[in-house]
Amino acid sequence: PVLLEIRLLCGSRFSDLSGMSHYEAAKKINADGVHIVVDTVGHTYGSRPELFAMQPSPLQIEVKPVGSYGAHTRRSLISDRLATPVEFLPPRPPLAAQLV
């Protein structure tokens, strides 16, 4: 249901990268001029840390409900106090938002 909603919102700008290699997906993201890539799955099934390690966009954000790569390949983090207490905020990324 969520993917369908995203497809509808994006219209013709939506690209399904699931059938592409990490390298092909990173090239497409870059070629399409995508400015922000958001990782919503963290280190779970279907994650693509290799793609994020290539940094295909100027801004990469990890939305952290639970868990983390710990690889510092994301430049930004969105989390909450339960998932990431203030004292555990990483020295990187430079942009961090903590939801209340």
Side-chain angles (χ1 to χ4, degrees), residues 1 27 71 76:
K27 279 183 65 171
S76 299

Side-chain angles (χ1 to χ4, degrees), residues 1-73:
V2 174
L3 182 57
L4 178 59
E5 188 174 336
I6 292 171
R7 284 179 188 245
L8 291 172
L9 288 170
C10 294
S12 63
R13 298 175 303 199
F14 180 84
S15 295
D16 184 355
L17 306 178
S18 62
M20 297 181 183
S21 71
H22 303 306
Y23 178 73
E24 292 169 330
K27 279 183 65 171
K28 172 125 180 83
I29 290 168
N30 190 267
D32 287 352
V34 174
H35 296 280
I36 303 171
V37 177
V38 181
D39 176 9
T40 59
V41 298
H43 195 56
T44 60
Y45 178 79
S47 65
R48 297 183 76 171
E50 298 89 348
L51 188 146
F52 282 92
M54 292 181 218
Q55 300 186 351
S57 64
L59 183 58
Q60 297 167 103
I61 299 173
E62 178 179 0
V63 177
K64 183 181 177 193
V66 293
S68 173
Y69 287 116
H72 304 298
T73 57

